[in-house]
Amino acid sequence: MTITRRLVVAGGAIAAAGACRAQPAESLAEAAARRGVLFGAAVEPQTLDRDPAFAALIRRECAGLTPENHMKWNLLRPAPRRFDFAGADRLVEIAQGQGMAVHGHALVWHEANPDWLARELNPGTAAEILYEHIDAVVGRYAGRVRSWDVVNEAIERNDRRPDGLRRSPWLEALGPDYIPMAFEAAHRADPAARLVLSDYGFEYDDEAWMVEKRGTTLERLAGWRRDGVPIHALGIQGHLLGDRPPAFGEGLRRFLRDVARLGLEIYVTELDVNDQNTQGGVVRRDEVVAEIYDAFLRAVLDEPAVRMVTTWGLSDRYTSKADMFPRRDGAPVRPLPFDRDLAPKLARRAIAQAFGGVR
């Protein structure tokens, strides 16, 4: 039986829009929790405030929230001596009110930085700027943010450094030590928080550059662990493609086992399926997207060290893919578990089944 056929048989007939209209009895958070996994979604606090129906869906389905933008430097720190915590505070407030965990994103990244940072950042100022930022942000949310993407997208083989690190503004100002510096600062500010190195490009066994990146990442992680750097988890973003075979096989499983052997947890931090170039109508596209979620999560969840799965959004009503990766035919993109009307799709069923929530 094919994956799609298995999903359809388990879920009954698919509506013409490609969604299973009835709300499932068990939430994704409940299905994940039975497997020891925290399920959540990336959201914008203002979206939750202005859309009660979407907020209710998030409350029902999620045990964790990630701020999609409001903890990035460009929104959080508009001037060298001024922080704007309003959006981040609101998201943490919402999460606390619902008993949800918060995964902070992101303390150090080469993108989404304010214009002033490029002017101010140099070898003489970088350490002070880095420490001041992490102390202020992590310290403010100590005890309220469960985990942090401390350094995001630090590995880049195309930059051709022997150590595989990305040529970011932080690397240019501080050298490779900026990574352990950031983790040590975050740990001082909140010793209880789980600290994550997050990156993309680990998923496909048939992409040579991804296989190479896996090896480089393992080497760097092993070195940092030997040096006592307080890294607790590797974050795998999980931005998947709807126009290529889901090559999530033994290579991915072996990579995750090797990460776990270093004593690290594994988080899936930004999961979605890009259907920009997926062929067919809505029903066929939804089948393909569901098959990819199914194949990826079944491979990843074989590893017991996987402790969190976060989708980058929950409903097609609010997805960054709409602006970043629009379809050439003008049709709305459909990368997430729920459609624009907040109805569950086959993708939602695929995720539940991978957690073991549909029998």
Side-chain angles (χ1 to χ4, degrees):
M1 181 181 293
T2 66
I3 294 170
T4 301
R5 178 63 178 159
R6 182 171 71 239
L7 292 167
V8 172
V9 168
I14 309 171
C20 308
R21 308 304 296 188
Q23 291 290 343
E26 182 180 55
S27 72
L28 290 174
E30 291 166 338
R34 288 193 290 100
R35 199 178 184 117
V37 174
L38 177 74
F39 177 79
V43 296
E44 299 280 25
Q46 68 272 22
T47 303
L48 297 177
D49 283 336
R50 70 172 182 246
D51 189 338
F54 179 67
L57 181 69
I58 290 288
R59 287 195 301 272
R60 170 186 158 74
E61 295 291 331
C62 296
L65 298 181
T66 295
E68 191 166 349
N69 289 297
H70 280 276
M71 287 183 178
K72 295 173 181 174
W73 278 64
N74 58 343
L75 292 184
L76 198 60
R77 196 167 178 183
R81 293 290 176 262
R82 183 166 67 86
F83 288 83
D84 181 355
F85 289 109
D89 282 354
R90 180 59 182 142
L91 183 131
V92 172
E93 177 186 28
I94 292 169
Q96 284 192 300
Q98 301 300 324
M100 295 179 179
V102 177
H103 177 73
H105 173 79
L107 294 174
V108 181
W109 192 25
H110 64 282
E111 295 187 12
N113 289 315
D115 292 340
W116 66 262
L117 187 62
R119 297 191 301 268
E120 298 283 338
L121 196 65
N122 61 62
T125 63
E128 180 182 359
I129 292 172
L130 180 70
Y131 287 145
E132 180 183 43
H133 186 85
I134 292 175
D135 288 348
V137 176
V138 178
R140 183 181 186 88
Y141 299 112
R144 296 188 291 162
V145 171
R146 174 184 179 272
S147 54
W148 287 96
D149 288 333
V150 176
V151 180
N152 193 42
E153 300 178 359
I155 309 294
E156 181 49 78
R157 294 300 305 167
N158 286 336
D159 285 352
R160 298 303 169 194
R161 287 176 52 89
D163 58 11
L165 295 181
R166 179 186 294 278
R167 296 185 185 277
S168 73
W170 293 104
L171 183 75
E172 297 300 326
L174 290 169
D177 284 346
Y178 87 90
I179 296 173
M181 289 169 66
F183 277 92
E184 288 159 4
H187 187 60
R188 286 194 299 270
D190 185 358
R194 308 301 290 168
L195 305 181
V196 185
L197 181 83
S198 181
D199 219 316
Y200 68 93
F202 299 125
E203 297 85 4
Y204 289 89
D205 285 358
D206 58 357
E207 283 285 355
W209 70 268
M210 292 192 183
V211 174
E212 183 181 2
K213 185 168 183 172
R214 292 171 183 171
T216 300
T217 302
L218 284 169
E219 291 173 6
R220 299 285 75 76
L221 286 170
W224 291 321
R225 293 287 285 173
R226 283 194 303 270
D227 293 342
V229 178
I231 299 177
H232 305 127
L234 175 67
I236 297 173
Q237 291 182 8
H239 292 299
L240 310 177
L241 299 174
D243 59 343
R244 58 161 300 152
F248 318 122
E250 181 51 35
L252 176 59
R253 288 178 168 89
R254 184 168 55 252
F255 171 64
L256 298 181
R257 286 197 300 271
D258 289 343
V259 172
R261 289 190 183 111
L262 294 174
L264 295 169
E265 296 177 342
I266 298 163
Y267 298 167
V268 180
T269 56
E270 301 185 18
L271 182 60
D272 58 15
V273 179
N274 182 348
D275 74 333
Q276 179 185 41
N277 298 316
T278 307
Q279 299 300 305
V282 166
V283 171
R284 178 56 187 152
R285 283 163 49 205
D286 281 0
E287 290 173 351
V288 170
V289 167
E291 289 168 356
I292 292 169
Y293 274 113
D294 181 277
F296 178 72
L297 285 174
R298 286 180 186 277
V300 167
L301 291 170
D302 276 352
E303 173 50 58
V306 175
R307 302 293 174 80
M308 185 176 80
V309 172
T310 297
T311 51
W312 202 246
L314 191 66
S315 161
D316 298 333
R317 182 180 292 185
Y318 304 109
T319 170
S320 58
K321 291 287 187 289
D323 294 324
M324 296 177 65
F325 300 101
R327 290 179 58 85
R328 294 187 185 91
D329 61 10
V333 296
R334 298 176 63 85
L336 291 168
F338 291 80
D339 69 15
R340 291 191 299 172
D341 295 325
L342 309 183
K345 297 157 52 183
L346 274 179
R348 194 268 181 211
R349 178 166 291 277
I351 295 169
Q353 285 193 184
F355 286 139
V358 177
R359 304 188 187 282

